[in-house]
Amino acid sequence: MKTILIVEDEITISRVLKAYLEKNGFSTIQSYSGREAIKAFATHRPDLILLDVMLPDGDGWSVLHTIRQESTCPVIMLTALGDVDYRLKGLTSGADDYISKPFIGEEVVARVQAVLRRSRTIFESGDTKQYGQLKINLHSHRVDLNGNEVTFTPKDLSVFLFLAEHPNQTFTREQLIENVWGIDYDGSDRAVDLAIKRIRKSLEGWSSEQGEIKTLRGLGYQFSVYEK
């Protein structure tokens, strides 16, 4: 059974989320502040976090930043602010999805299920690929560069592994969104560009002579490598 950490200071909303999630087979933990959320995360290590942006002792962005320093646990942001800038801020900060209030309980459950599906094992192959100092285990989802593990957000890892599974193939933004974010994603395709930018930053130190995440103008992105 998957455990969901609900971080929401409005008790009524928290209870509604708890009821819908438990009805659909999830166990839940409730926190009502950022401080409680960080403690609950450290204690219970949930499978996914529903994180409200507006909290009584700060904001969800700070909680997300703290969690991302040590974990790639999937996070869905909840907020009454529907402005696209807030959506982009959440995705840029490492959130996996974004739901605006007011929302329908069934939609939240569907989003949780979709994010968990995308966070599960993507590849059945146990092959390990190595390109110079970059080593990719498609089974364990581990990426090492120069002998050190590379840390990605869950979404960035999914984008990178999808590209790595198809080396030297070009994918448009729309194809990446469909395969990584899912066909139900209704956000901006700029999320793809932001993910690629973060992935490149994480891979700084990987020699361009061994490979690169290449932009093909007007076409899309490609994991361009030289296989031996």
Side-chain angles (χ1 to χ4, degrees):
M1 180 182 294
K2 298 291 186 181
T3 299
I4 311 300
L5 173 58
I6 302 169
V7 186
E8 168 62 66
D9 64 308
E10 294 188 42
I11 296 176
T12 301
I13 294 177
S14 182
R15 287 175 177 171
V16 169
L17 291 170
K18 175 182 175 68
Y20 272 98
L21 290 165
E22 292 186 351
K23 180 181 178 181
N24 285 272
F26 296 100
S27 65
T28 61
I29 303 162
Q30 293 169 285
S31 294
Y32 303 98
S33 70
R35 185 174 300 175
E36 285 184 14
I38 292 170
K39 289 182 179 178
F41 174 76
T43 301
H44 299 283
R45 292 292 171 176
D47 297 288
L48 182 142
I49 303 169
L50 288 173
L51 178 58
D52 189 25
V53 169
M54 304 301 291
L55 296 170
D57 58 347
D59 59 53
W61 310 125
S62 299
V63 176
L64 177 61
H65 177 71
T66 299
I67 289 171
R68 280 289 169 263
Q69 289 181 319
E70 60 175 285
S71 173
T72 58
C73 175
V75 176
I76 298 177
M77 305 299 292
L78 302 173
T79 180
L81 302 169
D83 191 279
V84 68
D85 289 338
Y86 283 91
R87 182 187 298 269
L88 290 174
K89 181 175 180 178
L91 296 173
T92 304
S93 301
D96 295 88
D97 204 349
Y98 179 108
I99 301 176
S100 297
K101 300 176 185 177
F103 47 73
I104 300 172
E106 290 86 350
E107 177 192 4
V108 176
V109 172
R111 294 285 191 95
V112 167
Q113 292 170 334
V115 169
L116 287 173
R117 279 197 304 272
R118 295 196 294 268
S119 298
R120 285 204 304 262
T121 302
I122 299 172
F123 307 104
E124 296 180 356
S125 170
D127 290 345
T128 296
K129 303 287 188 180
Q130 185 148 2
Y131 308 101
Q133 296 302 310
L134 183 67
K135 184 177 181 181
I136 307 166
N137 188 308
L138 298 179
H139 178 69
S140 67
H141 293 183
R142 181 184 173 104
V143 181
D144 290 274
L145 179 60
N146 298 318
N148 299 310
E149 184 174 5
V150 181
T151 301
F152 297 98
T153 67
K155 187 66 66 193
D156 292 353
L157 179 61
S158 295
V159 173
F160 177 70
L161 291 176
F162 178 79
L163 291 171
E165 190 189 19
H166 306 89
N168 300 318
Q169 295 184 43
T170 304
F171 294 92
T172 64
R173 292 182 181 86
E174 291 75 17
Q175 288 173 320
L176 288 171
I177 286 174
E178 181 176 346
N179 283 279
V180 178
W181 278 261
I183 59 175
D184 59 339
Y185 174 71
D186 62 355
S188 168
D189 62 5
R190 283 185 59 195
V192 176
D193 302 328
L194 293 169
I196 294 295
K197 181 179 180 180
R198 291 191 299 268
I199 291 169
R200 284 173 172 156
K201 183 173 180 62
S202 296
L203 295 179
E204 287 180 351
W206 184 39
S207 171
S208 60
E209 296 179 357
Q210 300 161 0
E212 62 180 317
I213 305 295
K214 183 181 292 185
T215 301
L216 286 85
R217 190 174 298 277
L219 296 175
Y221 294 107
Q222 177 187 113
F223 181 60
S224 179
V225 294
Y226 310 103
E227 300 192 68
K228 296 181 180 180

